[in-house]
Amino acid sequence: ETFALDLHGDGLLSLEITRPSQHRGGPAAANTGTIAAEGGTVLITAEAAGALVQSLVEAGGTVAAREGGRIAVSATGGEARVTGTLDARASAGRGGDISVTGRQVVATPTARLDASGASGGGRVRAGGDVRGSGTLPRAERTAIAPGAELRADATVAGPGGTVVVWADGSAFVHGHLSARGGPGGGDGGLIETSGLRSISLAGISVDTAAPAGRTGMWLIDPVDLTIGALTEGGTFDGTSFTPDGTTTTPIVSAEAIGTALGVTNITLTT
């Protein structure tokens, strides 16, 4: 296996495994310190050699591309895991862009993905794009652990951004997702949490409020959907996400829906 570290001074920092990885026993590409590229782009990527889902990329420590920058964590055919901070905030202007893609995407309880900006929220996407559209690779499984935070808020005046958690199969979304409008003006943004085959939203916290504008939207868009007292989809022990396989119909907690209505509008589509 070889890797390339690109430091050309052009605003792009790239750590890439250039051959399909057969690495075992830990991620093939990992960050545990600090990577910073203000206004630039940080790419951390690797590709799996076989069909077995393995831990390919781990974004720990702090990865920062503030002031309109872009952060992409990609594990083609394997697992992309975020344990640290992905920081694409902007003190002036809109927040940047954060994407985490792989066959399996995991954000642990210590994960912080933040694309907030003074004049508007940016974009945070884990496992795919809005409604699974576009060219961003889609995950089979996506897990956002309790304690994890995904934010695309407007911090001064402007609209909230976009936060998407997507899975073609199972989605486990139990963290805090926020796309607030600015306190000085601006509407709330868009949050989507969708797992086509199964979804678990127990304990999720969603906020698209706008103190000086219109409240934003929380979209839940599986193939079929049941609103009930229980949620299913899998278990997450802080390290591994295991789909339970007991249902083919996503179940969303009525309690979670009721709580969220105080700070967001909700659209349920199938």
Side-chain angles (χ1 to χ4, degrees), residues 70 72 79 102 106 125 153 196 232:
R70 172 177 171 247
E79 180 184 275
V106 174
R125 296 171 294 172
D153 299 328
L196 292 185
E232 299 183 47

Side-chain angles (χ1 to χ4, degrees), residues 117-149:
S119 64
R123 186 167 57 173
V124 177
R125 296 171 294 172
D129 211 335
V130 176
R131 295 183 184 243
S133 63
T135 60
L136 194 71
R138 301 191 304 273
E140 292 182 11
R141 296 178 294 275
T142 301
I144 309 299
E149 297 181 3

Side-chain angles (χ1 to χ4, degrees), residues 93-193:
R94 297 199 67 153
D97 186 279
I98 298 171
S99 64
V100 184
T101 60
R103 186 174 174 187
Q104 179 163 293
V105 170
V106 174
T108 70
T110 55
R112 303 289 182 267
L113 289 70
D114 196 341
S116 300
S119 64
R123 186 167 57 173
V124 177
R125 296 171 294 172
D129 211 335
V130 176
R131 295 183 184 243
S133 63
T135 60
L136 194 71
R138 301 191 304 273
E140 292 182 11
R141 296 178 294 275
T142 301
I144 309 299
E149 297 181 3
L150 284 66
R151 296 181 179 272
D153 299 328
T155 57
V156 180
T162 301
V163 176
V164 177
V165 179
W166 176 274
D168 281 354
S170 302
F172 178 106
V173 193
H174 291 197
H176 177 71
L177 284 61
S178 178
R180 291 176 57 89
D187 298 335
L190 171 68
I191 291 175
E192 178 178 5
T193 56

Side-chain angles (χ1 to χ4, degrees), residues 3-6 13-17 29-31 35 42-46:
F3 71 90
L5 180 60
D6 182 358
L13 300 181
S14 178
L15 175 60
E16 178 181 6
I17 306 297
N31 172 62
I35 299 175
V42 179
L43 309 177
I44 305 176
T45 67

Side-chain angles (χ1 to χ4, degrees), residues 26-117:
N31 172 62
T32 57
T34 299
I35 299 175
E38 186 167 328
T41 298
V42 179
L43 309 177
I44 305 176
T45 67
E47 180 179 350
L52 180 66
V53 177
Q54 64 187 92
S55 176
L56 275 182
V57 178
E58 181 171 330
T62 299
V63 178
R66 301 186 185 100
E67 309 307 331
R70 172 177 171 247
I71 300 170
V73 178
S74 174
T76 303
E79 180 184 275
R81 175 183 300 269
V82 181
T83 60
T85 297
L86 304 183
D87 184 356
R89 293 174 296 168
S91 59
R94 297 199 67 153
D97 186 279
I98 298 171
S99 64
V100 184
T101 60
R103 186 174 174 187
Q104 179 163 293
V105 170
V106 174
T108 70
T110 55
R112 303 289 182 267
L113 289 70
D114 196 341
S116 300

Side-chain angles (χ1 to χ4, degrees), residues 79 81 104 106-109 143 145-146 172 234-242:
E79 180 184 275
R81 175 183 300 269
Q104 179 163 293
V106 174
T108 70
F172 178 106
T235 58
F236 184 68
D237 63 6
T239 302
S240 301
F241 173 56
T242 304

